[in-house]
Amino acid sequence: KTVDLRKLAQAISFEGEMAGFSGALRLTDLDDFITPSQECIKPVKVEKSAKKGLAAIAIEKDGSYVQVDEHGTRSKLEKASITLNDCLACSGCITSAESVLIAQQSHTELFRVLDQNNAPSTPEGEKRVVVVSVSPQARASIAARHRLTTHQAATKLAGFFKSLGVDLVFDTTFSRDFSLIESAKEFVRRYRSSSKGCLPMLASACPGWVCYAEKTHGSFILPYISSTKSPQQVMGSLVKHHLSKRLHKRPDQIYHVTLMMCFDKKLEASREDFYNDLYHTRDVDCVITSIEVESMFEEKGVDFPSLTPQPLDEPFSSCHGDQLFGHEGGGSGGYLEYILRQAATELFGKPCDSISYKTLRNKDFKEVTFEVDGETVLKFAAAYGFRNIQNVVQKLKRGKCAYHFIEVMACPSGCLNGGGQLRPVGGQSAKELLEEVESLYHSVRPHRPEDNPAVEKIYREWVGDEAGSKKARQLLHTTYHSIEKMNTALNIKW
């Protein structure tokens, strides 16, 4: 039997529960996604019986579910065990921040690997190199909670992870350099192409948006989505396929963890596209969020502000001395501004010195234009939250989308407001916290990705070619897959 998930959302148990996750598939504000996990293929396990008659499902005072047969006999229902693969194979719901809690994607799994590494009985040859890559959005959230600067948070996070036995701590700002460069090259290539479906190019860094697109609009929308890997997955490629060679290790001998702002990044890391069949390993083995790191502090009895700082590690660092580097633009990676500036120069030979946003229907839908001799030649937009994404898709389907590029993010206010970010405490409002996180995120010094000599060196040594080349597209780009939609009465049709 399939039970309406809207009634069962608070009682579904996942395999992730044993790894420290909440035992619920939680629904969040409708602003955050379009279809609120309406139906699940495995909500409650009901044993088939040869007996005739109808049965009902009742909710006990403790929140458990029981089956009541026609005679009034009550039998407790077993909670379903839902793996990540079940979620990826199902098209019954649209996942978003905090929607899907999955096995082997938690801080307790990281603890398990570290404990195994640190155990005296573990042979040296079986120990794995543990790498943690930290996103700047998650770092800003943790800095805000503990009243630290971004640099203090970065170095104390490095100190914390290394005290646990982590070998290397990187910054995904570095991998975002590649993602931005490749995205800009891809946009210019699309703009110059006359093929239908090339524009508008839709950003692909948000896995919640990509999952929604694959499950809901499939083959129609996928050609518009940028093929460039997100910073998380670019870092996964760098760690498992470049760093491994420098360390003289196989990819499966490295355990790669990312600290992210959003639970959907766990889904992204678990895509089969990022699985190495030869070595049976994923580019990113485990994703933890800001919330989970805070749990790690509590479990280890750590006073985070008092920790001894440690430097971020080379070669994938965006820190020089006491100065952290970032990118211009919004808190979701700066794709719009970087691609606009690069396109203006490469396509029209004109610099884009200033960018002015025009807010349209709401604060999460903004527009930017670039003019040459009084004529608008480039029209970009930022669309955050699924209500705005819905409008974009509708315009595309009607052939009335006038934009060349759209920075699409599932969460309202973008990645700084991701579902894995720390919540307000001490009477602070969500708005006040977001403003503080934004301020910390933008406190770093912006740089241009192409000015990073380490990026140029990796293109030369690992890619073996320039940005945007065929080899670069093989290593730094991915593909998407239309997922057949279930024909159920609860599916929303747009």
Side-chain angles (χ1 to χ4, degrees):
K1 296 181 181 180
T2 299
V3 182
D4 188 345
L5 189 57
R6 287 171 294 185
K7 298 177 182 178
L8 294 183
Q10 295 302 318
I12 297 173
S13 175
F14 287 83
E15 285 184 3
E17 185 175 5
M18 61 184 290
F21 283 111
S22 163
L25 180 70
R26 292 176 289 168
L27 303 184
T28 186
D29 186 3
L30 281 175
D31 263 0
D32 200 21
F33 52 86
I34 280 219
T35 56
S37 304
Q38 295 175 339
E39 186 175 5
C40 180
I41 59 172
K42 296 175 65 177
V44 175
K45 184 177 180 181
V46 182
E47 298 294 340
K48 292 184 178 181
S49 173
K51 296 180 180 179
K52 295 181 179 180
L54 298 176
I57 294 177
I59 305 175
E60 299 286 68
K61 291 182 179 181
D62 62 359
S64 63
Y65 285 76
V66 296
Q67 179 175 322
V68 184
D69 65 19
E70 57 185 328
H71 303 296
T73 304
R74 305 169 76 88
S75 56
K76 191 169 184 178
L77 293 176
E78 179 184 345
K79 291 181 179 180
S81 175
I82 300 178
T83 68
L84 178 62
N85 287 335
D86 291 325
C87 289
L88 291 178
C90 168
S91 59
C93 69
I94 304 302
T95 61
S96 149
E98 297 189 52
S99 298
V100 179
L101 307 177
I102 58 178
Q104 297 182 339
Q105 290 280 2
S106 70
H107 68 279
T108 52
E109 181 67 11
L110 171 58
F111 281 151
R112 185 192 67 77
V113 171
L114 290 171
D115 288 344
Q116 185 177 15
N117 258 12
N118 297 332
S121 59
T122 303
E124 285 297 323
E126 294 182 11
K127 293 182 179 181
R128 289 191 276 181
V129 176
V130 181
V131 176
V132 174
S133 300
V134 180
S135 76
Q137 292 92 347
R139 181 182 64 210
S141 179
I142 293 169
R145 167 61 61 88
H146 296 281
R147 299 292 186 264
L148 300 172
T149 66
T150 51
H151 183 267
Q152 288 173 332
T155 54
K156 288 180 183 292
L157 278 170
F160 171 68
F161 285 121
K162 290 181 179 181
S163 72
L164 299 177
V166 170
D167 298 288
L168 298 166
V169 179
F170 297 138
D171 179 1
T172 63
T173 301
F174 183 88
S175 55
R176 195 165 66 195
D177 281 349
F178 289 90
S179 192
L180 289 170
I181 291 171
E182 289 297 319
S183 294
K185 292 292 184 183
E186 181 185 358
F187 175 79
V188 170
R189 188 167 61 249
R190 284 173 176 249
Y191 189 93
R192 288 172 172 163
S193 173
S194 58
S195 301
K196 183 180 179 181
C198 286
L199 295 177
M201 187 173 94
L202 308 177
S204 59
C206 173
W209 145 243
V210 170
C211 184
Y212 162 75
E214 289 181 321
K215 290 183 174 181
T216 308
H217 300 288
S219 58
F220 167 76
I221 202 74
L222 298 185
Y224 295 102
I225 300 178
S226 167
S227 64
T228 303
K229 290 181 182 179
S230 71
Q232 170 176 278
Q233 296 310 135
V234 170
M235 184 61 87
S237 296
L238 288 170
V239 168
K240 289 295 183 86
H241 306 293
H242 176 59
L243 179 68
S244 62
K245 294 178 180 177
R246 294 183 56 164
L247 298 177
H248 305 290
K249 298 287 185 180
R250 299 190 313 271
D252 61 309
Q253 291 177 311
I254 298 178
Y255 186 75
H256 183 206
V257 182
T258 59
L259 168 53
M260 289 286 139
M261 74 303 288
C262 148
F263 287 107
D264 287 350
K265 287 293 180 180
K266 298 171 185 281
L267 282 170
E268 180 181 49
S270 300
R271 291 174 67 95
E272 290 304 310
D273 307 87
F274 306 130
Y275 182 79
N276 187 319
D277 290 311
L278 179 61
Y279 293 102
H280 305 289
T281 185
R282 299 190 183 279
D283 292 345
V284 177
D285 297 287
C286 178
V287 179
I288 57 176
T289 63
S290 310
I291 291 173
E292 290 167 274
V293 168
E294 199 67 21
S295 296
M296 293 173 73
F297 297 157
E298 294 174 3
E299 289 181 31
K300 294 297 182 181
V302 167
D303 178 32
F304 182 65
S306 301
L307 286 176
T308 302
Q310 292 282 344
L312 297 177
D313 292 291
E314 299 293 343
F316 310 142
S317 170
S318 294
C319 184
H320 303 287
D322 291 337
Q323 181 65 63
L324 280 171
F325 288 86
H327 300 106
E328 291 184 310
S332 298
Y335 287 88
L336 185 153
E337 294 199 10
Y338 182 78
I339 294 173
L340 182 62
R341 287 192 167 96
Q342 293 300 108
T345 301
E346 290 195 38
L347 295 172
F348 304 100
K350 303 285 186 179
C352 182
D353 297 321
S354 63
I355 294 177
S356 178
Y357 287 91
K358 178 183 178 182
T359 301
L360 300 181
R361 60 177 62 238
N362 56 65
K363 65 181 179 63
D364 281 327
F365 198 101
K366 299 178 181 180
E367 178 181 286
V368 173
T369 58
F370 178 72
E371 297 182 353
V372 175
D373 298 328
E375 179 186 356
T376 298
V377 293
L378 291 174
K379 193 173 184 181
F380 284 26
Y384 296 169
F386 273 107
R387 288 189 301 175
N388 289 322
I389 291 174
Q390 173 194 357
N391 291 326
V392 168
V393 173
Q394 288 177 336
K395 287 182 178 180
L396 272 171
K397 288 188 171 182
R398 294 197 300 263
K400 295 183 178 180
C401 186
Y403 298 110
H404 297 101
F405 173 80
I406 305 176
E407 185 179 276
V408 184
M409 299 292 160
C411 291
S413 300
C415 293
L416 290 174
N417 191 40
Q421 298 283 68
L422 294 169
R423 306 293 192 260
V425 293
Q428 187 180 38
S429 69
K431 181 180 178 181
E432 291 170 339
L433 175 60
L434 181 59
E435 289 174 351
E436 186 177 354
V437 173
E438 286 176 343
S439 176
L440 286 163
Y441 176 85
H442 291 294
S443 66
V444 302
R445 180 179 172 183
H447 77 173
R448 299 193 312 167
E450 61 270 26
D451 292 340
N452 187 341
V455 169
E456 182 183 356
K457 182 179 180 182
I458 289 176
Y459 265 113
R460 185 173 62 251
E461 293 180 353
W462 179 49
V463 178
D465 209 336
E466 62 183 8
S469 64
K470 183 177 180 180
K471 184 67 180 295
R473 292 200 294 272
Q474 291 175 348
L475 295 172
L476 301 173
H477 292 244
T478 187
T479 56
Y480 309 105
H481 316 281
S482 177
I483 299 175
E484 185 178 351
K485 188 186 299 184
M486 292 170 58
N487 292 319
T488 69
L490 290 176
N491 281 340
I492 290 180
K493 310 292 185 183
W494 298 107

